[in-house]
Amino acid sequence: MIERMDTKSKILDVAENLFGNYGFEATSLRDITAKAQVNLAAVNYHFQSKDSLIDAVIERRIAPVNRRRLEMLDAAGPNPTVEQIAEAFIAPVIERDPSPITALMGRILSTPDQFITRVFKKHLVVVAQRFTDAIGQALPELSPAERLWRMHFMGGAMAHVLGWSHLLPELTGGLCDASDRKAVTARLVRFLAAGLRAPEGN
Amino acid sequence: MIERMDTKSKILDVAENLFGNYGFEATSLRDITAKAQVNLAAVNYHFQSKDSLIDAVIERRIAPVNRRRLEMLDAAGPNPTVEQIAEAFIAPVIERDPSPITALMGRILSTPDQFITRVFKKHLVVVAQRFTDAIGQALPELSPAERLWRMHFMGGAMAHVLGWSHLLPELTGGLCDASDRKAVTARLVRFLAAGLRAPEGN
DNA sequence: GTCTATAGGTTGATAGAC
DNA sequence: GTCTATCAACCTATAGAC
């Protein structure tokens, strides 16, 4: 039973794809409406402005990802290992179907502007708190500041993978291929878990 | 002996600052010439186009950073430790004065577009090769692909720190402060060295 | 080398017919 | 809800006087 997609959903899907691959500034409303084969005015009818469209695109994807993150963290029980914490943070983003989400999430995390900071505060701060707490429980010897720094490093490694994955095969002569998402997650988890466990030093 | 800066240098300095803080697309030539207090046409006189200006801004900073990276790697002797490798990769970027370079480098690494990929290939591939080789020497048990992935993770953690550092105090309630650059480098090196040393697993 | 003026194109957003 | 037509603002780039 194939259902024709309505204009609003088509705009959201195409915008997500273009924002992720080319950036929010670099993507014009005309790019979006042309590719979605809808009228230019439809964007301002269904959404009020480009900024509101960006909000809607982000909101649609980031909410379920964060829900899944907390689910996985809860499913790991009252004393999750560092590996379980890292996997709960990363897997819901990297392994998610369908594909375009990865480019979008990488773009969000790699756009440190005022506008994105608002989104960041709205959707990510609360999740980051839960994960920082979990790290503190698993590694009580770390200072509060160090825990936050390591969350930051973890987010950075993940964001970089998301943003550059479509270019990696070319840049590494085919040696790195992000198409096997589960394998990428496993590599990241091993690397990050070891980093999280590092002694804090002096 | 204070020397007045010439127009070309003023443009480069202001462009570096704005590109770093707001992005390449989001910064117009008018933004640059207004802040630099020079005429709009001066950009196209001294540089040929906006793209060439971007090239010039990047080139001016990335070349000495990469030189310093290789110097530090060489200075670590024929068998550098993982910590020395990580520090040689990171310190030349993070600890470098003056400040605007950090935002610019973070922006470059966080802009996975065709244009930046060209820059990436021109300036970073050769350095990445040297560092990947060094990692392979220090950790011969890692597969070639895993070495590249871990270089990628390392670059990502660093890029994220560079790009978000000016927003970190606000997002962490003041707990994370990137102004002590040496301390940030030390935190990153400890985290990344442990990650690089992680067993590769099945 | 530095300026004014402007060409030529793109952008986000809207008014108003259907 | 969807369309055409258009506005006002912005952009990069250049021609030509000084």
Side-chain angles (χ1 to χ4, degrees):
Chain A
M1 190 187 2
I2 295 168
E3 195 174 336
R4 278 244 331 310
M5 227 187 292
D6 62 359
T7 299
K8 198 169 176 178
S9 302
K10 273 198 287 190
I11 292 172
L12 279 173
D13 286 347
V14 170
E16 173 175 323
N17 181 20
L18 294 179
F19 286 152
N21 287 124
Y22 302 102
F24 300 104
E25 290 271 356
T27 301
S28 70
L29 297 183
R30 283 171 172 79
D31 293 335
I32 295 168
T33 54
K35 193 169 178 194
Q37 294 180 285
V38 302
N39 190 273
L40 171 61
V43 171
N44 288 80
Y45 175 77
H46 288 287
F47 310 88
Q48 295 80 350
S49 63
K50 183 180 179 180
D51 275 4
S52 300
L53 172 62
I54 296 176
D55 267 346
V57 166
I58 292 174
E59 184 114 21
R60 185 173 68 143
R61 293 300 182 198
I62 212 167
V65 162
N66 282 344
R67 216 179 305 126
R68 180 85 187 110
R69 278 171 163 162
L70 297 181
E71 270 175 28
M72 286 186 70
L73 194 57
D74 289 338
N79 286 96
T81 65
V82 176
E83 277 80 5
Q84 288 174 315
I85 295 170
E87 187 170 359
F89 188 73
I90 289 165
V93 184
I94 294 199
E95 297 178 16
R96 194 90 183 170
D97 289 15
S99 151
I101 191 180
T102 60
L104 179 73
M105 291 291 293
R107 185 68 61 171
I108 296 170
L109 291 171
S110 304
T111 307
D113 301 323
Q114 265 88 349
F115 180 73
I116 300 296
T117 306
R118 224 191 54 225
V119 174
F120 195 89
K121 281 185 185 164
K122 188 174 172 192
H123 294 105
L124 268 125
V125 164
V126 53
V127 173
Q129 185 63 53
R130 274 290 314 271
F131 276 83
T132 309
D133 290 346
I135 292 172
Q137 202 187 342
L139 302 166
E141 67 274 21
L142 292 184
S143 67
E146 186 71 18
R147 289 204 294 264
L148 278 167
W149 277 109
R150 293 187 182 184
M151 271 292 297
H152 198 54
F153 301 157
M154 184 160 76
M158 186 191 70
H160 211 234
V161 169
L162 295 174
W164 287 83
S165 64
H166 61 296
L167 300 168
L168 261 194
E170 190 189 347
L171 292 172
T172 62
L175 262 180
C176 291
D177 176 14
S179 63
D180 184 348
R181 312 252 191 115
K182 280 198 181 299
V184 173
T185 304
R187 286 185 206 273
L188 257 172
V189 167
R190 274 194 297 271
F191 181 89
L192 294 173
L196 290 171
R197 280 207 185 88
E200 187 163 351
N202 40 46
Chain B
M1 186 182 9
I2 297 168
E3 195 173 334
R4 279 251 319 318
M5 228 185 292
D6 62 1
T7 300
K8 198 169 175 176
S9 302
K10 272 197 288 191
I11 292 172
L12 279 173
D13 286 348
V14 171
E16 173 175 324
N17 181 19
L18 294 179
F19 285 152
N21 288 125
Y22 303 101
F24 299 104
E25 289 272 355
T27 302
S28 71
L29 297 183
R30 281 173 168 80
D31 293 335
I32 296 168
T33 55
K35 192 170 180 193
Q37 295 180 287
V38 302
N39 190 274
L40 171 61
V43 172
N44 289 79
Y45 174 78
H46 289 288
F47 311 88
Q48 293 81 351
S49 65
K50 184 180 178 179
D51 275 4
S52 300
L53 172 63
I54 296 175
D55 267 346
V57 166
I58 292 174
E59 183 114 23
R60 184 172 70 142
R61 292 300 181 199
I62 212 167
V65 162
N66 282 344
R67 215 180 305 125
R68 180 85 187 112
R69 278 172 163 162
L70 297 181
E71 269 175 28
M72 286 185 70
L73 194 56
D74 289 338
N79 286 96
T81 65
V82 176
E83 278 78 6
Q84 288 173 315
I85 295 170
E87 186 170 0
F89 188 74
I90 289 165
V93 184
I94 294 199
E95 297 179 15
R96 194 90 184 173
D97 287 16
S99 150
I101 192 181
T102 59
L104 179 73
M105 291 291 292
R107 185 67 60 171
I108 296 170
L109 292 172
S110 305
T111 308
D113 301 323
Q114 265 87 350
F115 180 73
I116 301 296
T117 306
R118 225 191 54 225
V119 173
F120 195 88
K121 281 186 186 165
K122 186 174 171 189
H123 293 105
L124 268 125
V125 165
V126 53
V127 173
Q129 184 64 52
R130 274 290 312 273
F131 277 81
T132 309
D133 290 346
I135 291 172
Q137 202 186 342
L139 303 166
E141 67 275 19
L142 292 184
S143 68
E146 186 71 19
R147 289 204 294 262
L148 278 167
W149 276 108
R150 293 188 180 183
M151 271 293 297
H152 197 54
F153 301 157
M154 184 161 75
M158 185 191 71
H160 211 234
V161 169
L162 295 173
W164 287 81
S165 64
H166 62 296
L167 300 169
L168 261 193
E170 191 190 347
L171 292 173
T172 62
L175 262 180
C176 291
D177 176 13
S179 63
D180 184 347
R181 314 254 190 113
K182 280 200 182 300
V184 174
T185 304
R187 285 186 206 271
L188 257 172
V189 167
R190 273 194 298 271
F191 181 88
L192 294 174
L196 290 171
R197 279 207 187 87
E200 186 163 353
N202 36 46

